[in-house]
Amino acid sequence: MILLQANQIARQFGADTLFENIHLEISSRARIGLVGRNGAGKSTLLKILAGIEAPDKGTIAKNKNVTLGYLAQDTGLDSDKTVWEEMLEAFADVRQTEKRMHELEVKISQISPEDENYEAVLKQYDQLQEEFIEKNGYGYENEMRAVLNGFQFDESFYDKAIQTLSGGQKTRLALAKMLLQSPDILILDEPTNHLDIETLSWLEGYLQNYRGVLLIVSHDRYFLDKVVTEIYEISRSKMRHYKGNYSRYLDLKSQQLASEWKAYEKQQAEINKLEDFVAKNIVRASTTKRAQSRRKQLDKMERIERPQGKEKSAHFLFQITKASGNIVFQLEDGAIGYDQSVVSEPVNLDIKRQDAIALVGPNGIGKSTLLKSMIGEIPFIKGEKRYGTNVSIGYYDQGQAELNQNKTILQELWDEHPATPEVEIRRMLGSFLFSGDDVDKPISLLSGGEKARVALAKLAMDQKNFLVLDEPTNHLDIDNKEVLENALIDYEGTLFFVSHDRYFINRLATKVVELSENGSRLYLGDYDYYLEKKEEEEQLAEYERQQNETSQEKKTTTNKQNFVQSKEQQKQIRSLQRKVSQIEEDLNAVDEKISQLKEEMTLPENLDDHVKLTELDQSLQDRQKQQDDLMEQWENLSLQLEELEAKTS
């Protein structure tokens, strides 16, 4: 069932077209990700779909009974209520029903069963009760507690006035309230901004089970892979639709581009052949008719446009002037915080040359504070820090506070490097997508993504050997995130960074430092290894707790053996689950290819071409054989998985 439809939507800014001929259909239970470069018009399109703005052209058709919720990025609650009172507003209709039920309960207790209105009152009460149950009337307070807890608001926050909370907390509350309202169509613009990794994981799980439609703009690749099942891409004012999650979209887009190039090159070869024939034969009396026929063929031909490929991306490297010694930075028994108020201790760091260390932890635990203490902007409350020889620090501030808002882009870099020729400064800015008159824009008028690129350009100019980065991917679109990742992977210096982008962390980190109120803890490996070790620690703790509750008499060695066995079985189960999922994805791809081949075999041009038809039939047989093989693998693995799960249950 189609709940909302956009037809031929266009938006213009003066003479410039942001997007045009946009067609989008939203059906029941859809899980849609909207992607595109910064400035492509994603947020504008969301506002048009939500009815906040009107399109310059086209129409929006929405089912009149469908409820729609829209949350702009970085929107915070503005309320004079407490947290609990504000969340209750999401269930105003349920609470009204509950109030009406209590009124009828009083009425029923006061009238006699012999009263002529008694049955009518009972019937009305039954109807209200059904409605109340359908709206989770008996469980909405538990739902509120679960959602608030997911967004890191425990009971201590319930009676706090919203006006006293931080901007980030207000933003999380706005999202929490929207989820509790549970509209039929939920439109979210960058909902993962300012969420720590734990909250992100919780939100992914919640949205996977959301009963309504999801339409989401996000630059978080892990998040899109987990939550969405189809992608709409805005690029060069046009929109394209892809089935599958973000990773699938990348594969399909690559295949599509390759197919477009093949079709284009084939037609160009045909055009060149026809034009060559016309040029050679048009003046000859014996062949002029055939040449004219070829010319008509050329005139009637529907020309395939040259594939444009990817949009222009930034391209840069981080270089170093001089390498540091092996020891870059050390901290022993450090404590971080403000005004002698400690938020985390003891913090211990031992950073070596070419380390790439990710700093993770919940919001508010002091990650940015630790970075500022390392560069000397904030003193450590306790502990002794030491820098190695020849260490030069480059710092990226997530708030871009180091940028002078009164300067132009060119001035911002040139004033830092006055001896560098202007042409070199412009070349550096060009690699960060600032060219021509762009470099004369004031910093104050730039978007968040543009400011981020200016800050990164400054960092690249400095050529430091130790980069301390605080959320460097904030405000960057996915393409430019990938450029930054590749530049940092090739960087020959040392990295210490904070990020909530799990994909970014996993590509870069060789070590992970987890920060908590109990200090720091080091994990030797990438982000996936860190998650695996955390899960293992949690499972071991839970196992030991259960064992202590059931029997204190069991020996520790036996407990450990049982855990190791259980852990090994769980590892086998996870491995089989991954294999089964992969085969299911492969089967879907094969199914699509078989459908495509069958469709091609019915085309008139192929039915008349025996050779082509034979090739298609052979391809079809090969794909069907591949399908049978995959099904056999899937059945065998699924059986193994069932047996293992039965053993562990």
mmCIF file of all heavy atoms in Angstrom, residues 201-222:
data_model
loop_
_atom_site.group_PDB
_atom_site.id
_atom_site.type_symbol
_atom_site.label_atom_id
_atom_site.label_comp_id
_atom_site.label_asym_id
_atom_site.label_seq_id
_atom_site.Cartn_x
_atom_site.Cartn_y
_atom_site.Cartn_z
ATOM 1 N N SER A 201 23.970 1.892 18.643
ATOM 2 C CA SER A 201 23.633 0.473 18.540
ATOM 3 C C SER A 201 22.213 0.215 19.026
ATOM 4 O O SER A 201 21.468 -0.574 18.428
ATOM 5 C CB SER A 201 24.631 -0.367 19.341
ATOM 6 O OG SER A 201 25.942 -0.210 18.835
ATOM 7 N N TRP A 202 21.841 0.885 20.118
ATOM 8 C CA TRP A 202 20.472 0.727 20.623
ATOM 9 C C TRP A 202 19.453 1.246 19.616
ATOM 10 O O TRP A 202 18.431 0.601 19.357
ATOM 11 C CB TRP A 202 20.314 1.491 21.944
ATOM 12 C CG TRP A 202 18.901 1.434 22.454
ATOM 13 C CD1 TRP A 202 18.345 0.473 23.235
ATOM 14 C CD2 TRP A 202 17.854 2.379 22.162
ATOM 15 N NE1 TRP A 202 17.016 0.747 23.437
ATOM 16 C CE2 TRP A 202 16.688 1.903 22.798
ATOM 17 C CE3 TRP A 202 17.792 3.555 21.428
ATOM 18 C CZ2 TRP A 202 15.476 2.585 22.726
ATOM 19 C CZ3 TRP A 202 16.575 4.233 21.337
ATOM 20 C CH2 TRP A 202 15.444 3.756 21.988
ATOM 21 N N LEU A 203 19.729 2.416 19.027
ATOM 22 C CA LEU A 203 18.808 3.019 18.064
ATOM 23 C C LEU A 203 18.638 2.124 16.838
ATOM 24 O O LEU A 203 17.524 1.982 16.317
ATOM 25 C CB LEU A 203 19.310 4.403 17.657
ATOM 26 C CG LEU A 203 18.421 5.184 16.670
ATOM 27 C CD1 LEU A 203 17.039 5.434 17.260
ATOM 28 C CD2 LEU A 203 19.082 6.514 16.291
ATOM 29 N N GLU A 204 19.724 1.525 16.375
ATOM 30 C CA GLU A 204 19.634 0.595 15.248
ATOM 31 C C GLU A 204 18.658 -0.532 15.544
ATOM 32 O O GLU A 204 17.796 -0.861 14.722
ATOM 33 C CB GLU A 204 21.012 0.020 14.923
ATOM 34 C CG GLU A 204 21.936 0.981 14.227
ATOM 35 C CD GLU A 204 23.359 0.466 14.147
ATOM 36 O OE1 GLU A 204 23.648 -0.587 14.739
ATOM 37 O OE2 GLU A 204 24.191 1.140 13.521
ATOM 38 N N GLY A 205 18.790 -1.137 16.724
ATOM 39 C CA GLY A 205 17.901 -2.226 17.105
ATOM 40 C C GLY A 205 16.455 -1.781 17.200
ATOM 41 O O GLY A 205 15.538 -2.488 16.772
ATOM 42 N N TYR A 206 16.241 -0.577 17.753
ATOM 43 C CA TYR A 206 14.875 -0.057 17.907
ATOM 44 C C TYR A 206 14.229 0.188 16.549
ATOM 45 O O TYR A 206 13.080 -0.195 16.308
ATOM 46 C CB TYR A 206 14.901 1.235 18.725
ATOM 47 C CG TYR A 206 13.523 1.731 19.117
ATOM 48 C CD1 TYR A 206 12.959 1.359 20.329
ATOM 49 C CD2 TYR A 206 12.787 2.568 18.279
ATOM 50 C CE1 TYR A 206 11.691 1.809 20.700
ATOM 51 C CE2 TYR A 206 11.524 3.010 18.636
ATOM 52 C CZ TYR A 206 10.983 2.640 19.847
ATOM 53 O OH TYR A 206 9.726 3.079 20.202
ATOM 54 N N LEU A 207 14.961 0.812 15.651
ATOM 55 C CA LEU A 207 14.400 1.140 14.334
ATOM 56 C C LEU A 207 14.179 -0.104 13.481
ATOM 57 O O LEU A 207 13.285 -0.123 12.625
ATOM 58 C CB LEU A 207 15.308 2.127 13.605
ATOM 59 C CG LEU A 207 15.373 3.540 14.205
ATOM 60 C CD1 LEU A 207 16.337 4.414 13.414
ATOM 61 C CD2 LEU A 207 13.995 4.189 14.253
ATOM 62 N N GLN A 208 14.982 -1.142 13.683
ATOM 63 C CA GLN A 208 14.775 -2.383 12.948
ATOM 64 C C GLN A 208 13.409 -2.991 13.251
ATOM 65 O O GLN A 208 12.828 -3.681 12.416
ATOM 66 C CB GLN A 208 15.886 -3.386 13.279
ATOM 67 C CG GLN A 208 17.211 -3.076 12.601
ATOM 68 C CD GLN A 208 18.351 -3.933 13.122
ATOM 69 O OE1 GLN A 208 18.203 -4.674 14.083
ATOM 70 N NE2 GLN A 208 19.520 -3.827 12.506
ATOM 71 N N ASN A 209 12.894 -2.736 14.453
ATOM 72 C CA ASN A 209 11.598 -3.267 14.868
ATOM 73 C C ASN A 209 10.478 -2.228 14.797
ATOM 74 O O ASN A 209 9.369 -2.483 15.275
ATOM 75 C CB ASN A 209 11.700 -3.818 16.293
ATOM 76 C CG ASN A 209 12.669 -4.984 16.404
ATOM 77 O OD1 ASN A 209 12.582 -5.944 15.650
ATOM 78 N ND2 ASN A 209 13.622 -4.901 17.330
ATOM 79 N N TYR A 210 10.754 -1.063 14.217
ATOM 80 C CA TYR A 210 9.748 -0.003 14.127
ATOM 81 C C TYR A 210 8.622 -0.437 13.195
ATOM 82 O O TYR A 210 8.858 -0.955 12.102
ATOM 83 C CB TYR A 210 10.401 1.284 13.624
ATOM 84 C CG TYR A 210 9.507 2.504 13.702
ATOM 85 C CD1 TYR A 210 9.289 3.132 14.917
ATOM 86 C CD2 TYR A 210 8.884 3.025 12.572
ATOM 87 C CE1 TYR A 210 8.476 4.257 15.007
ATOM 88 C CE2 TYR A 210 8.077 4.141 12.644
ATOM 89 C CZ TYR A 210 7.873 4.747 13.868
ATOM 90 O OH TYR A 210 7.055 5.858 13.954
ATOM 91 N N ARG A 211 7.375 -0.226 13.630
ATOM 92 C CA ARG A 211 6.227 -0.737 12.888
ATOM 93 C C ARG A 211 5.884 0.105 11.658
ATOM 94 O O ARG A 211 5.280 -0.388 10.715
ATOM 95 C CB ARG A 211 5.007 -0.822 13.805
ATOM 96 C CG ARG A 211 5.112 -1.902 14.880
ATOM 97 C CD ARG A 211 3.949 -1.841 15.834
ATOM 98 N NE ARG A 211 3.965 -0.610 16.619
ATOM 99 C CZ ARG A 211 3.052 -0.290 17.523
ATOM 100 N NH1 ARG A 211 2.022 -1.078 17.740
ATOM 101 N NH2 ARG A 211 3.154 0.850 18.202
ATOM 102 N N GLY A 212 6.250 1.372 11.669
ATOM 103 C CA GLY A 212 5.904 2.253 10.560
ATOM 104 C C GLY A 212 6.982 2.340 9.504
ATOM 105 O O GLY A 212 7.891 1.501 9.412
ATOM 106 N N VAL A 213 6.863 3.361 8.679
ATOM 107 C CA VAL A 213 7.814 3.626 7.595
ATOM 108 C C VAL A 213 8.975 4.471 8.105
ATOM 109 O O VAL A 213 8.793 5.356 8.939
ATOM 110 C CB VAL A 213 7.102 4.357 6.429
ATOM 111 C CG1 VAL A 213 8.106 4.899 5.423
ATOM 112 C CG2 VAL A 213 6.107 3.429 5.749
ATOM 113 N N LEU A 214 10.167 4.206 7.594
ATOM 114 C CA LEU A 214 11.350 5.006 7.925
ATOM 115 C C LEU A 214 11.902 5.644 6.658
ATOM 116 O O LEU A 214 12.094 4.973 5.642
ATOM 117 C CB LEU A 214 12.433 4.135 8.558
ATOM 118 C CG LEU A 214 12.113 3.464 9.898
ATOM 119 C CD1 LEU A 214 13.236 2.509 10.281
ATOM 120 C CD2 LEU A 214 11.905 4.497 10.987
ATOM 121 N N LEU A 215 12.127 6.955 6.717
ATOM 122 C CA LEU A 215 12.816 7.698 5.652
ATOM 123 C C LEU A 215 13.931 8.485 6.337
ATOM 124 O O LEU A 215 13.663 9.402 7.108
ATOM 125 C CB LEU A 215 11.857 8.622 4.914
ATOM 126 C CG LEU A 215 12.477 9.572 3.868
ATOM 127 C CD1 LEU A 215 13.261 8.804 2.822
ATOM 128 C CD2 LEU A 215 11.403 10.424 3.211
ATOM 129 N N ILE A 216 15.177 8.103 6.061
ATOM 130 C CA ILE A 216 16.308 8.598 6.845
ATOM 131 C C ILE A 216 17.412 9.158 5.953
ATOM 132 O O ILE A 216 17.805 8.540 4.967
ATOM 133 C CB ILE A 216 16.895 7.459 7.710
ATOM 134 C CG1 ILE A 216 15.833 6.930 8.688
ATOM 135 C CG2 ILE A 216 18.116 7.928 8.470
ATOM 136 C CD1 ILE A 216 16.260 5.666 9.413
ATOM 137 N N VAL A 217 17.903 10.321 6.315
ATOM 138 C CA VAL A 217 19.153 10.847 5.770
ATOM 139 C C VAL A 217 20.240 10.598 6.809
ATOM 140 O O VAL A 217 20.087 10.967 7.972
ATOM 141 C CB VAL A 217 19.053 12.355 5.471
ATOM 142 C CG1 VAL A 217 20.443 12.934 5.197
ATOM 143 C CG2 VAL A 217 18.152 12.615 4.277
ATOM 144 N N SER A 218 21.318 9.951 6.400
ATOM 145 C CA SER A 218 22.421 9.687 7.325
ATOM 146 C C SER A 218 23.708 9.512 6.548
ATOM 147 O O SER A 218 23.712 9.028 5.414
ATOM 148 C CB SER A 218 22.138 8.428 8.163
ATOM 149 O OG SER A 218 23.218 8.152 9.041
ATOM 150 N N HIS A 219 24.819 9.927 7.165
ATOM 151 C CA HIS A 219 26.150 9.707 6.614
ATOM 152 C C HIS A 219 26.862 8.561 7.330
ATOM 153 O O HIS A 219 28.049 8.324 7.103
ATOM 154 C CB HIS A 219 26.996 10.984 6.715
ATOM 155 C CG HIS A 219 26.503 12.089 5.830
ATOM 156 N ND1 HIS A 219 26.735 13.425 6.079
ATOM 157 C CD2 HIS A 219 25.784 12.057 4.697
ATOM 158 C CE1 HIS A 219 26.166 14.160 5.142
ATOM 159 N NE2 HIS A 219 25.599 13.352 4.289
ATOM 160 N N ASP A 220 26.122 7.858 8.204
ATOM 161 C CA ASP A 220 26.687 6.734 8.954
ATOM 162 C C ASP A 220 26.444 5.445 8.162
ATOM 163 O O ASP A 220 25.327 4.951 8.069
ATOM 164 C CB ASP A 220 26.033 6.642 10.341
ATOM 165 C CG ASP A 220 26.729 5.635 11.247
ATOM 166 O OD1 ASP A 220 27.001 4.511 10.795
ATOM 167 O OD2 ASP A 220 26.986 5.952 12.422
ATOM 168 N N ARG A 221 27.504 4.897 7.588
ATOM 169 C CA ARG A 221 27.378 3.749 6.703
ATOM 170 C C ARG A 221 26.949 2.484 7.430
ATOM 171 O O ARG A 221 26.143 1.718 6.895
ATOM 172 C CB ARG A 221 28.713 3.538 5.977
ATOM 173 C CG ARG A 221 29.032 4.653 4.988
ATOM 174 C CD ARG A 221 30.512 4.813 4.729
ATOM 175 N NE ARG A 221 31.207 5.381 5.879
ATOM 176 C CZ ARG A 221 32.492 5.712 5.866
ATOM 177 N NH1 ARG A 221 33.215 5.553 4.781
ATOM 178 N NH2 ARG A 221 33.053 6.233 6.955
ATOM 179 N N TYR A 222 27.454 2.242 8.630
ATOM 180 C CA TYR A 222 27.022 1.091 9.423
ATOM 181 C C TYR A 222 25.535 1.196 9.717
ATOM 182 O O TYR A 222 24.789 0.223 9.619
ATOM 183 C CB TYR A 222 27.801 1.022 10.734
ATOM 184 C CG TYR A 222 29.051 0.170 10.693
ATOM 185 C CD1 TYR A 222 29.656 -0.164 9.494
ATOM 186 C CD2 TYR A 222 29.627 -0.302 11.841
ATOM 187 C CE1 TYR A 222 30.814 -0.943 9.461
ATOM 188 C CE2 TYR A 222 30.777 -1.087 11.820
ATOM 189 C CZ TYR A 222 31.366 -1.402 10.628
ATOM 190 O OH TYR A 222 32.498 -2.172 10.606
#
